[in-house]
Amino acid sequence: MTHLFTMFFNFNKTVIYLVLMVSIRSLMVDAKPATFLQDFHITWSDSHIKQLDGGRAIQLVLDQNSGCGFASKSKYLFGRVSMKIKLIPGDSAGTVTAFYMNSDTDQVRDELDFEFLGNRTGQPYSVQTNVFAHGKGDREQRVNLWFDPAADYHTYSILWNHYHVVFSVDEVPIRVYKNNEAKGVPFPKIQPMGVYSTLWEADDWATRGGLEKIDWSKAPFYAYYKDFDIEGCAVPGPSTCASNPSNWWESSSYQQLDPVAARRYRWVRLNHMVYDYCTDKRRYPVTPRECVAGI
């Protein structure tokens, strides 16, 4: 009897230990940065960035003295980055809240941009995306958001792998830039990029092409960020990481949009796109190669 009791007790200890280990491992895999300063540092005007909720969220401020900005401590080569952002409410014309990746190289720059363009009260908020590859940009697309991005937090993410770059809003794709190097279209795949964000004045172009100027009587302007999530190959780091096909962002599920994502993408393009460089014949009399149907 004593022998059976001992076996039962040891078996239960083993089960409890295994459950605890699985739980701890799950927490380690799914863990998000506990505070802003774990993965980021302030790059511009630290007096205009305020940490909230013990550093798990931040407030960016724009006034007549300064805007502000921050950047990741590391650069990354492929992966996914996302943040929850609550944009400037009310009359935000002339302001730009930017969230982007940048190689920080002068001559041959790679960059993936979200730029949230301020509006006059009552007008829709536009988000502009742009892709720089091997130093060439000027690939702007603009989408009017289908919700009020100043009323609550929404998730904005950039997925970057060997197959494409996908810009998403609340898991809805709004822009896909495919890897068409085989057809002579440059694609960012060599230079690691840092993660950046800024809040600044750009009333010479941001709202209706610069027709709507910033109203400083409404200042200061505030934008809020939380849930910073970066998953990718940090540089410096293991040299084999970026080429490892076992990285989750390189798996078959992420090599193209699934049917649901593809339907959402078409819905955005049909109903909310307000500018596409691909169809701007004044700027591009010859359609850029990456825009040609079928590529």
Side-chain angles (χ1 to χ4, degrees):
M1 187 71 177
T2 302
H3 177 66
L4 288 173
F5 177 81
T6 301
M7 288 178 61
F8 178 79
F9 180 74
N10 288 336
F11 174 79
N12 277 295
K13 282 202 304 181
T14 302
V15 170
I16 292 170
Y17 173 79
L18 289 172
V19 169
L20 284 172
M21 289 304 294
V22 169
S23 299
I24 291 169
R25 182 171 295 179
S26 297
L27 288 171
M28 290 173 66
V29 170
D30 296 333
K32 301 290 191 296
T35 66
F36 164 73
L37 290 178
Q38 276 188 268
D39 278 359
F40 296 92
H41 64 100
I42 297 170
T43 56
W44 172 30
S45 189
D46 57 0
S47 64
H48 283 59
I49 296 183
K50 179 181 179 182
Q51 295 188 59
L52 308 171
D53 190 23
R56 286 181 286 273
I58 58 170
Q59 176 195 73
L60 273 62
V61 182
L62 168 64
D63 58 26
Q64 285 183 281
N65 295 316
S66 182
C68 56
F70 63 88
S72 59
K73 293 178 179 178
S74 298
K75 289 186 177 182
Y76 302 87
L77 189 56
F78 302 113
R80 185 182 67 181
V81 57
S82 70
M83 297 181 187
K84 288 185 178 178
I85 306 174
K86 183 163 67 171
L87 296 173
I88 300 167
D91 189 341
S92 57
T95 69
V96 173
T97 308
F99 160 43
Y100 59 102
M101 300 186 73
N102 190 313
S103 62
D104 197 24
T105 45
D106 293 332
Q107 300 300 320
V108 186
R109 174 167 51 124
D110 291 334
E111 184 170 313
L112 310 171
D113 294 337
F114 270 115
E115 292 177 313
F116 304 96
L117 311 180
N119 64 349
R120 284 270 103 97
T121 302
Q123 298 300 312
Y125 239 110
S126 292
V127 56
Q128 175 169 285
T129 58
N130 200 355
V131 175
F132 285 77
H134 302 185
K136 172 69 171 65
D138 298 326
R139 297 184 174 95
E140 299 91 348
Q141 294 181 352
R142 291 185 185 180
V143 168
N144 281 346
L145 293 172
W146 51 95
F147 53 85
D148 181 358
D152 203 350
Y153 285 96
H154 292 269
T155 302
Y156 304 92
S157 63
I158 301 171
L159 171 74
W160 172 33
N161 60 27
H162 284 81
Y163 303 91
H164 54 193
V165 176
V166 182
F167 297 82
S168 297
V169 177
D170 291 335
E171 302 300 323
V172 176
I174 66 166
R175 171 87 181 261
V176 177
Y177 183 81
K178 295 180 181 179
N179 184 345
N180 281 302
E181 281 190 312
K183 298 184 179 181
V185 178
F187 186 82
K189 69 172 191 180
I190 297 173
Q191 300 187 104
M193 291 191 265
V195 182
Y196 298 83
S197 187
T198 53
L199 173 57
W200 51 293
E201 172 199 355
D203 69 0
D204 57 333
W205 67 271
T207 307
R208 294 183 60 218
L211 294 177
E212 302 282 0
K213 301 300 183 182
I214 196 165
D215 182 355
W216 287 114
S217 71
K218 303 293 195 300
F221 302 99
Y222 300 104
Y224 297 87
Y225 292 67
K226 68 177 184 178
D227 292 0
F228 313 97
D229 185 16
I230 302 175
E231 298 177 78
C233 293
V235 177
S239 59
T240 57
C241 179
S243 59
N244 185 353
S246 297
N247 292 326
W248 69 259
W249 53 85
E250 300 287 356
S251 68
S252 58
S253 300
Y254 297 93
Q255 293 175 14
Q256 60 184 4
L257 299 183
D258 64 38
V260 172
R263 285 197 298 272
R264 291 174 174 174
Y265 183 47
R266 285 193 295 271
W267 174 78
V268 169
R269 311 283 288 185
L270 289 171
N271 296 286
H272 296 281
M273 174 163 281
V274 294
Y275 176 78
D276 184 0
Y277 77 107
C278 289
T279 59
D280 190 338
K281 293 300 182 183
R282 188 168 60 89
R283 288 178 67 193
Y284 296 101
V286 177
T287 303
R289 282 175 296 179
E290 65 268 24
C291 302
V292 176
I295 279 191

